[in-house]
Amino acid sequence: MLSNQYSHYYEYPNYLNCYEQGESIDNCSRWDYGPTRTGGNEELQPEESESYNLGLVWEISDQVNISVDYWSLETTNLIDSLSASEIVQTQAKLWEAADAAGVARPDVSTVYPGTEISRLGNGKIDYVVSQKLNVGLSEREGIDVKVGAGFDSDYGDFNFGLGWSYFLKYKSSYSSAGVQILSDDEAGREGTPDQRINLTADYSYGDHVVSYFGNFIGSQKSWDVVEGSWDPDAGQTEDDGKLYEIDSIFYHNLTYTYTLPWNNSISVGVTNLTDEDPQFAYDGTYDADLYDIRGRTYWAGFRQSF
């Protein structure tokens, strides 16, 4: 039998120690630093999803078409990993509930199968065992609109495309002390823009092709409150403050391709034509999954087909 396990070192609150010392579990400030061992899980079940789609396609002419789709996707049994902090906090909460009820303390593995906490004699955590589990749930809803158009002429061929995607709902579950909680709607919040637009335009004439691709990323409301945006003298609290907003951005890219007579072609192009910077969050970081730090970039390529 083969097995695979590896460790990462993390710092996390020692909720068990806090509980044993009579301190609040939720406000625990006793920290440990140790390995979290992770590996495979033979008991994993497949993720399950239920989806709906309602679409409309309109062929306005031979050259122009429009499609509109409403879709809904709910996924259960999502496979995810648990942090050491979540495992330790869950164990402390189990102890607290069991002691209050006067029953035996259950092990955290009764809530999260396959997990384990090993402690040293002084109460510090030696290591935590985590693994992939079926603990997730997600709910998504959205609208997709696509427009396509193409025209031929004596001066070349023109093709245009537009794709607009809009999230109506974007919710995901997260684990908190052994309980799975469905998040508030995250559509339009930091890291999850509710609007995305792709634009394409191609012009071809003989062996020459010029292509444009545009990528619009909508604005997002941060989870951070802007400092000084509330007035304590007026009885306001931080909850009355203004959320920081991450601006929208539009990337523009151009490519020119010349087809050679030997099943090959050469291309040159520029990415991020207008040299846009990433849109930064309130803390000065940026989401690398959404934005590109490289700025305007020139490139050239050669392609050979056989």
Side-chain angles (χ1 to χ4, degrees):
M1 183 178 75
L2 297 176
S3 63
N4 180 34
Q5 190 176 81
Y6 59 94
S7 298
H8 291 284
Y9 280 77
Y10 297 102
E11 187 177 31
Y12 44 80
N14 189 335
Y15 298 103
L16 303 180
N17 205 340
C18 283
Y19 176 67
E20 291 172 328
Q21 297 300 319
E23 301 173 10
S24 168
I25 295 174
D26 295 328
N27 298 318
C28 181
S29 60
R30 297 172 180 264
W31 292 79
D32 267 351
Y33 179 82
T36 299
R37 300 179 181 178
T38 58
N41 180 4
E42 296 179 352
E43 304 301 321
L44 278 179
Q45 299 298 312
E47 297 181 347
E48 299 178 358
S49 63
E50 188 174 273
S51 64
Y52 302 94
N53 187 284
L54 179 63
L56 175 67
V57 178
W58 183 19
E59 297 283 350
I60 299 175
S61 68
D62 292 339
Q63 291 82 28
V64 182
N65 61 82
I66 299 175
S67 67
V68 180
D69 288 278
Y70 162 80
W71 57 269
S72 173
L73 175 65
E74 180 175 315
T75 307
T76 57
N77 263 4
L78 280 172
I79 298 172
D80 200 1
S81 297
L82 297 171
S83 67
S85 177
E86 167 62 18
I87 295 170
V88 177
Q89 185 183 29
T90 300
Q91 181 66 86
K93 289 287 187 177
L94 289 173
W95 284 2
E96 183 180 50
D99 291 349
V103 299
R105 291 177 171 180
D107 188 74
V108 68
S109 60
T110 60
V111 177
Y112 296 133
T115 60
E116 178 188 343
I117 302 171
S118 176
R119 304 180 73 194
L120 300 172
N122 60 2
K124 287 187 173 294
I125 295 173
D126 185 17
Y127 62 85
V128 175
V129 176
S130 181
Q131 61 179 356
K132 297 285 188 180
L133 293 172
N134 296 104
V135 293
L137 166 69
S138 70
E139 296 179 358
R140 311 279 192 267
E141 270 182 60
I143 295 174
D144 292 332
V145 177
K146 294 181 180 179
V147 179
F151 305 96
D152 300 334
S153 74
D154 295 336
Y155 304 100
D157 300 334
F158 299 85
N159 290 282
F160 304 94
L162 179 148
W164 175 64
S165 297
Y166 182 73
F167 273 124
L168 298 170
K169 180 198 292 186
Y170 193 103
K171 294 186 176 182
S172 303
S173 65
Y174 60 93
S175 302
S176 178
V179 178
Q180 301 305 306
I181 300 174
L182 189 63
S183 71
D184 294 333
D185 191 0
E186 299 176 16
R189 302 304 298 269
E190 183 175 340
T192 314
D194 56 3
Q195 292 195 72
R196 299 288 298 265
I197 298 175
N198 290 330
L199 289 175
T200 60
D202 298 315
Y203 168 70
S204 60
Y205 185 79
D207 296 328
H208 306 271
V209 179
V210 177
S211 300
Y212 164 82
F213 172 69
N215 177 24
F216 173 83
I217 301 171
S219 61
Q220 305 136 64
K221 280 191 176 180
S222 171
W223 303 100
D224 299 302
V225 178
V226 177
E227 186 69 28
S229 62
W230 69 94
D231 186 2
D233 295 334
Q236 294 182 337
T237 66
E238 186 175 352
D239 292 336
D240 299 308
K242 178 184 177 182
L243 293 175
Y244 181 76
E245 184 159 323
I246 301 171
D247 289 336
S248 61
I249 193 171
F250 211 141
Y251 289 111
H252 305 276
N253 311 282
L254 284 176
T255 302
Y256 165 73
T257 300
Y258 176 63
T259 302
L260 298 167
W262 308 285
N263 293 325
N264 49 24
S265 63
I266 56 173
S267 299
V268 293
V270 54
T271 303
N272 191 2
L273 177 66
T274 52
D275 197 24
E276 302 291 337
D277 291 326
Q279 296 294 4
F280 292 97
Y282 190 61
D283 61 1
T285 61
Y286 74 97
D287 189 335
D289 292 330
L290 291 176
Y291 309 111
D292 195 337
I293 195 66
R294 293 176 297 177
R296 185 188 297 115
T297 305
Y298 300 94
W299 59 272
F302 174 81
R303 181 174 182 177
Q304 177 68 60
S305 299
F306 296 97

